């Protein structure tokens, strides 16, 4: 009998989860390339200005505001959520492929980028509300932190490889053709999801108040309410920041796409370290204090971005430090908060709660993107980035009066059942 290596995480020995995790990892890597390539296509090929960049980001994020609540209600009534996820992966791959095709034919316009960004946002909403349920069918409750750490570790690895590869691919192939890697990531995700056979929760039965039940649950629960307020504040200010970040570093700081990819890749090493040590931090501090520390470590270092000025080596150094620390902090916050959310939500309402949460939380993203485009045009890029980075720091104040700072362990699932899957 071959003895298994003790350092291999328990979940990675489970074939269904391993397939799910592999597909998500490849998809996340493609996402990171598109986060570089799509705005760079708008800036470098179509000469987009601050207002147009704001509109592009807004259209990408608007579906989360308008569709998350009905998508969650719809998903809770589906018995095969995994099939919905596969269909959305294939749809996003086709949409992404239309950009290099149009560029090759000389037909690429900002309007096409607007439509592609919006439709990808629609499909992403459907994917995410179904994914929340799939995760808890594949991962037992006592492995939630480990599962979130593995997924966010993949996200950190995508941050390391994706932007660097994206920057180099944009320089070598131009931005539209760099997007092909994103499409391949979505197709890989669909392929691996097709090889997992989870036993999904039964569809919910419609009843009076069915549509708004998830929203009412979020508003009534003190932990979910505080997390929502803090996260919404971060989302608003952070998307002011992200709407203008590429334009700011390329136009005002003179950073090339290759150097920008290097900065984001170096900074994301902090995310990889954060994902690796979050489990130990949770054991030492508790789940709630780790969320608080994560929010502060994520937001405060980003003030170095508008502070960056002077010789190019100094600017690059400040950007690298900001990205390194912020990515470490976001891993602390996302892993701990994701684990708490997975344990807190009842299965019968899970997709509807996720939909309501995305409506209220992610709905701040297009508002932030619109504000970023407006403020960047009205007062300039650097002053707007100061508003964005300083404003985000105060998000933690929403959580301090709540039970979160005193929460050391994950609560028991309200309607917990053993996670059962069948390997293909």
């Amino acid at each position: 009998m071959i003895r298994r290596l003790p350092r291999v995480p328990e979940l990675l020995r489970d074939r269904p989860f391993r397939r799910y995790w592999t597909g998500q990892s490849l998809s996340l890597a493609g996402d990171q390339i598109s986060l570089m390539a799509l705005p760079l296509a708008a800036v470098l090929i179509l000469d987009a200005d601050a207002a147009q960049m704001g509109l592009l980001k807004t259209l990408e994020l608007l579906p989360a505001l308008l569709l998350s609540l009905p998508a969650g209600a719809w998903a809770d009534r589906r018995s095969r959520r995994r099939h919905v996820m596969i269909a959305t992966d294939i749809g996003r791959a086709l949409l992404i492929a239309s950009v290099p095709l149009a560029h090759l034919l000389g037909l690429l316009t900002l309007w096409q980028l607007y439509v592609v960004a919006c439709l990808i946002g629609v499909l992403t909403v459907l994917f995410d509300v179904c994914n929340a349920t799939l995760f808890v069918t594949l991962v037992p409750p006592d492995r939630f932190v480990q599962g979130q750490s593995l997924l966010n570790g993949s996200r950190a690895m995508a941050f390391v490889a994706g932007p660097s590869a994206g920057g180099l691919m944009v320089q070598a192939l131009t931005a539209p053709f760099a997007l092909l890697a994103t499409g391949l990531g979505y197709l890989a995700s669909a392929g691996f999801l097709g090889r997992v056979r989870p036993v999904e929760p039964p569809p919910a039965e419609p009843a009076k108040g069915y549509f708004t039940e998830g929203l009412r649950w979020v508003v009534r629960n003190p932990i979910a309410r505080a997390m929502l307020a803090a996260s919404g504040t971060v989302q608003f200010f952070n998307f002011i920041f992200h709407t203008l970040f590429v334009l700011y570093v390329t136009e005002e700081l003179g950073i090339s796409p290759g150097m920008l990819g290097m900065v984001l890749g170096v900074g994301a090493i902090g995310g990889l370290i954060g994902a690796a040590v979050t489990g130990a931090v949770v054991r030492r501090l508790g789940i709630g204090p780790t969320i608080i520390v994560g929010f502060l470590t994520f937001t405060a270092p980003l003030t170095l971005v508008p502070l960056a000025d002077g010789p190019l080596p100094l600017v690059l150094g400040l950007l690298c430090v900001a990205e390194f620390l912020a990515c470490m902090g976001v891993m602390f916050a996302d892993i701990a908060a994701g684990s708490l959310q997975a344990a807190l939500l009842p299965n019968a309402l899970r997709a509807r709660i996720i939909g309501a949460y995305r409506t209220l939380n992610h709905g701040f993203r297009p508002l932030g993107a619109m504000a970023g485009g407006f403020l960047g045009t009205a007062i300039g890029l650097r002053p707007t980035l100061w508003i964005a980075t300083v404003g985000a720091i105060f998000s933690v104040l929403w959580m301090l009066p709540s039970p979160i700072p005193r929460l050391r362990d994950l609560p028991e699932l309200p309607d917990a059942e053993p996670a059962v899957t069948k390997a293909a």
Side-chain angles (χ1 to χ4, degrees):
M1 180 177 178
I2 298 175
R3 189 175 181 181
R4 288 172 174 166
L5 294 175
R7 292 187 179 181
V8 176
E10 187 72 27
L11 280 174
L12 290 185
R13 300 172 188 165
D14 179 72
R15 182 180 297 175
F17 178 83
R18 189 168 63 245
R19 289 174 174 172
Y20 164 76
W21 172 77
T22 302
Q24 295 304 295
S25 299
L26 293 171
S27 179
L28 286 166
D31 280 342
Q32 291 307 307
I33 293 174
S34 72
L35 288 176
M36 285 280 292
L38 200 62
L40 284 172
V43 171
L44 300 178
I45 295 177
L46 302 173
D47 298 319
D49 58 24
Q52 290 167 328
M53 292 294 286
L55 179 58
L56 178 65
K57 182 60 72 173
T58 300
L59 289 172
E60 177 187 341
L61 302 170
L62 197 60
L65 175 63
L66 301 180
L67 300 178
S68 291
L69 196 61
W74 180 82
D76 263 342
R77 296 193 63 189
R78 306 275 75 77
S79 59
R80 297 180 178 179
R81 302 168 184 87
R82 180 179 60 94
H83 290 182
V84 175
M85 296 168 66
I86 293 171
T88 60
D89 272 335
I90 295 172
R92 288 185 290 182
L94 293 174
L95 286 168
I96 284 291
S98 73
V99 176
L101 178 61
H103 180 61
L104 187 64
L105 298 174
L107 301 175
L108 184 63
T109 65
L110 272 172
W111 282 105
Q112 180 178 348
L113 293 187
Y114 293 156
V115 171
V116 168
C118 184
L119 291 179
I120 287 177
V122 171
L123 296 178
T124 299
V125 168
L126 289 173
F127 184 95
D128 288 347
V129 295
C130 294
N131 194 27
T133 300
L134 185 64
F135 175 83
V136 297
T137 65
L138 291 168
V139 182
D142 63 341
R143 298 291 181 186
F144 281 167
V145 172
Q146 185 180 101
Q148 290 289 332
S149 295
L150 287 168
L151 290 173
N152 282 278
S154 296
R155 179 181 169 195
M157 282 295 293
F159 283 169
V160 173
S164 301
L168 294 173
M169 291 174 69
V170 166
Q171 289 198 171
L173 304 174
T174 73
F177 290 105
L179 287 168
L180 288 174
T182 299
L184 293 175
Y186 288 137
L187 291 178
S189 174
F192 280 101
L193 283 174
R195 301 182 66 195
V196 175
R197 298 290 185 268
V199 179
E200 300 186 39
E205 295 294 330
K208 184 177 180 180
Y210 171 88
F211 186 80
T212 59
E213 192 172 1
L215 178 62
R216 287 183 279 115
W217 188 94
V218 172
V219 173
R220 289 196 303 262
N221 186 282
I223 295 175
R225 189 170 61 241
M227 289 175 61
L228 170 67
S231 185
T233 302
V234 163
Q235 299 288 358
F236 176 77
F237 286 107
N238 200 36
F239 273 81
I240 294 177
F241 177 90
H242 279 294
T243 297
L244 302 178
F245 177 72
V246 170
L247 187 62
Y248 169 73
V249 298
T250 55
E251 298 293 328
E252 292 204 4
L253 299 183
I255 302 297
S256 70
M259 286 190 291
L260 176 57
M262 180 201 70
V263 166
L264 296 178
V266 169
I269 294 173
L272 189 60
I273 295 172
V277 304
T278 297
V281 175
V282 169
R283 288 190 294 271
R284 181 66 179 266
L285 301 180
I287 195 77
T290 301
I291 295 173
I292 303 292
V293 170
F295 267 76
L296 290 174
T297 310
F298 167 44
T299 56
L302 291 179
T303 57
L304 295 176
V305 174
L307 186 66
D309 200 3
L312 183 60
L314 176 61
V315 169
L316 287 173
L318 289 173
L319 293 180
C320 283
V321 171
E323 290 293 325
F324 181 91
L325 294 176
C327 286
M328 179 180 287
V330 82
M331 289 297 111
F332 291 165
D334 281 359
I335 293 170
S339 302
L340 178 57
Q341 187 180 68
L344 197 64
L345 308 188
N347 277 335
L349 299 173
R350 191 171 295 274
R352 278 172 286 169
I353 293 172
I354 293 296
Y357 195 87
R358 285 177 58 93
T359 298
L360 298 171
N361 180 15
H362 289 34
F364 287 101
R365 293 181 174 187
L367 299 178
M370 287 188 290
F374 173 77
L375 290 173
T377 302
I379 65 176
L381 300 180
R382 193 186 297 266
T384 302
L385 290 178
W386 274 116
I387 293 172
T389 53
V390 172
I393 297 172
F394 292 99
S395 61
V396 74
L397 297 179
W398 291 105
M399 292 187 287
L400 296 182
S402 77
I404 294 174
R406 302 181 298 278
L407 195 62
R408 293 201 56 83
D409 301 312
L410 290 176
E412 293 186 5
L413 276 170
D415 52 359
E417 293 180 359
V420 181
T421 59
K422 294 187 291 184

